[in-house]
């Protein structure tokens, strides 16, 4: 999706890189004789004028048939992937997925181990779109606040609808799935290299989330790039994600955030396993 938020179209270099990566995926599927797949594309292909053309190109060059899913489907898949991490005692949870081009917010009610989506939204702001609009290499406090102001009204509109539907203002805890929250968790834990086993399912206090964001905001681009849980490829994106997360925490204060290193992929797997009658075996 590089540049798509500025031009309204997928760029040739980004498409070529993606086709190259998907060709590797296609070869692995053939090697393992995989017969059942579901392959999805999200916000970048949804909003780009040439998204459908790119999907056709992928099929012609790699043999993979991508499905451009709508925002509601994306939200429901994110819930399906992350829901096993909802605390057993929780009755109301806000799940969020900060992506590259959009952010999904899902308010869940939980009863007797079953969850129900009471309200959801998808806002057209993610780590890539914010970095392209406001800059991601050099981010000072003024730029960071501008990012927050940009997403604030979009979230506040949903907060009003959700509160009216559910009848309460705040969730028992937040549950986040995205590179932003896993990065913050890795930094907060002081990991020398990213370790999914330690991050997935980890609980972080809200105050600690704010402290890590403050530390990242005080770093230079090179310092962020050298962090083992960020790296050069995400060093210009992480603060955009932090801005979105800080707005989420401001609107829905919660003492605890649970981190999910899982999401759409696990949601896809869960749905396919349910369809095949093998989920939970």
């Amino acid at each position: 999706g590089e540049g798509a938020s500025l031009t309204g179209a997928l760029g040739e270099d980004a498409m070529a890189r993606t086709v190259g990566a998907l060709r590797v995926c296609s070869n692995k599927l053939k090697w393992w004789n995989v017969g059942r797949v579901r392959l999805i594309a999200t916000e970048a292909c949804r909003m780009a004028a040439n998204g459908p053309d790119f999907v056709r190109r992928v099929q012609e060059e790699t043999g993979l048939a991508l499905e451009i899913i709508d925002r509601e489907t994306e939200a429901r898949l994110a819930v399906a992937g992350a829901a096993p991490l909802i605390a057993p005692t929780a009755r109301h949870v806000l799940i969020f997925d900060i992506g590259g081009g959009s952010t999904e917010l899902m308010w869940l009610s939980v009863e007797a181990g079953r969850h129900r989506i009471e309200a959801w939204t998808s806002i057209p702001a993610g780590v890539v779109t914010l970095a392209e609009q406001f800059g991601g290499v050099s981010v000072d406090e003024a730029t960071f606040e501008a990012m927050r102001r940009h997403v604030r009204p979009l979230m506040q509109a949903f907060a009003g609808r959700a509160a009216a539907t559910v009848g309460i203002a705040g969730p028992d805890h937040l549950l986040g799935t995205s590179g932003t929250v896993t990065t913050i968790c890795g930094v907060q834990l002081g990991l020398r290299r990213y370790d999914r086993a330690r991050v997935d399912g980890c609980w972080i206090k809200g105050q600690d989330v704010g402290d890590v964001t403050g530390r990242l905001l005080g770093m230079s681009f090179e310092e962020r790039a050298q962090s083992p849980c960020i790296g050069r490829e995400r060093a210009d994106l992480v603060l955009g994600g932090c801005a979105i997360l800080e707005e989420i925490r401001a609107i829905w204060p919660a003492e605890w955030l649970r981190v999910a290193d899982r999401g759409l992929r696990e949601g896809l797997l869960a749905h396919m396993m349910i369809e095949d009658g093998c989920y939970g075996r």
Side-chain angles (χ1 to χ4, degrees):
E2 182 181 76
S5 66
L6 302 178
T7 66
L10 302 174
E12 178 56 37
D13 289 346
M15 288 192 291
R17 288 197 304 270
T18 306
V19 169
L22 290 175
R23 189 174 288 116
V24 174
C25 296
S26 177
N27 289 335
K28 289 185 177 182
L29 292 173
K30 293 173 184 174
W31 175 261
W32 289 103
N33 295 315
V34 175
R36 173 145 153 70
V37 297
R38 187 181 181 191
L39 313 170
I40 63 171
T42 55
E43 184 67 15
C45 286
R46 278 197 298 261
M47 59 83 64
N50 58 345
D53 294 333
F54 174 66
V55 168
R56 285 191 289 272
R57 173 178 170 180
V58 168
Q59 184 153 21
E60 291 170 359
E61 297 190 26
T62 70
L64 300 178
L66 295 179
E67 167 194 356
I68 302 177
I69 61 172
D70 59 31
R71 288 174 175 169
E72 181 175 4
T73 301
E74 182 173 359
R76 292 187 179 279
L77 287 173
V79 168
L85 292 180
I86 295 173
T89 57
R91 292 296 173 261
H92 299 279
V93 177
L94 182 76
I95 296 182
F96 62 89
D97 182 356
I98 303 172
S102 66
T103 296
E104 282 65 53
L105 300 162
M106 293 76 67
W107 185 285
L108 273 62
S109 292
V110 187
E111 187 174 351
R114 290 180 169 272
H115 64 266
R116 181 175 66 255
I117 300 176
E118 300 284 4
W120 71 275
T121 193
S122 177
I123 66 172
V127 296
V128 175
T129 54
L130 287 185
E132 290 180 344
Q133 183 170 350
F134 296 96
V137 174
S138 179
V139 180
D140 57 19
E141 291 189 7
T143 302
F144 190 73
E145 178 57 31
M147 291 178 177
R148 292 188 59 173
R149 285 198 305 270
H150 177 73
V151 301
R152 188 173 299 153
L154 302 173
M155 292 190 181
Q156 287 176 334
F158 170 69
R161 295 200 312 273
T165 300
V166 181
I168 64 171
D172 294 320
H173 72 83
L174 301 174
L175 176 53
T177 167
S178 68
T180 297
V181 292
T182 57
T183 294
I184 286 176
C185 183
V187 172
Q188 198 271 334
L189 292 173
L191 301 181
R192 293 188 176 183
R193 63 181 181 85
Y194 185 77
D195 184 351
R196 183 183 186 275
R198 293 190 61 186
V199 170
D200 185 49
C202 187
W203 290 94
I204 310 180
K205 281 199 168 184
Q207 181 60 50
D208 292 335
V209 174
D211 291 345
V212 171
T213 295
R215 286 164 53 192
L216 296 177
L217 190 54
M219 293 180 181
S220 67
F221 172 81
E222 287 300 327
E223 288 172 329
R224 296 195 302 272
Q226 291 169 14
S227 170
C229 293
I230 301 175
R232 186 163 296 273
E233 290 185 352
R234 293 188 57 84
D236 62 335
L237 304 177
V238 65
L239 285 172
C242 288
I244 295 171
L245 178 53
E246 285 304 293
E247 279 305 302
I248 292 173
R249 293 201 316 111
I251 295 172
W252 295 280
E255 183 179 4
W256 290 97
L257 162 67
R258 195 166 201 189
V259 179
D261 188 347
R262 59 180 79 187
L264 292 181
R265 286 170 297 185
E266 287 77 10
L268 282 169
L269 283 169
H271 275 260
M272 294 169 71
M273 292 169 73
I274 290 170
E275 290 169 359
D276 290 348
C278 60
Y279 189 78
R281 285 216 301 251

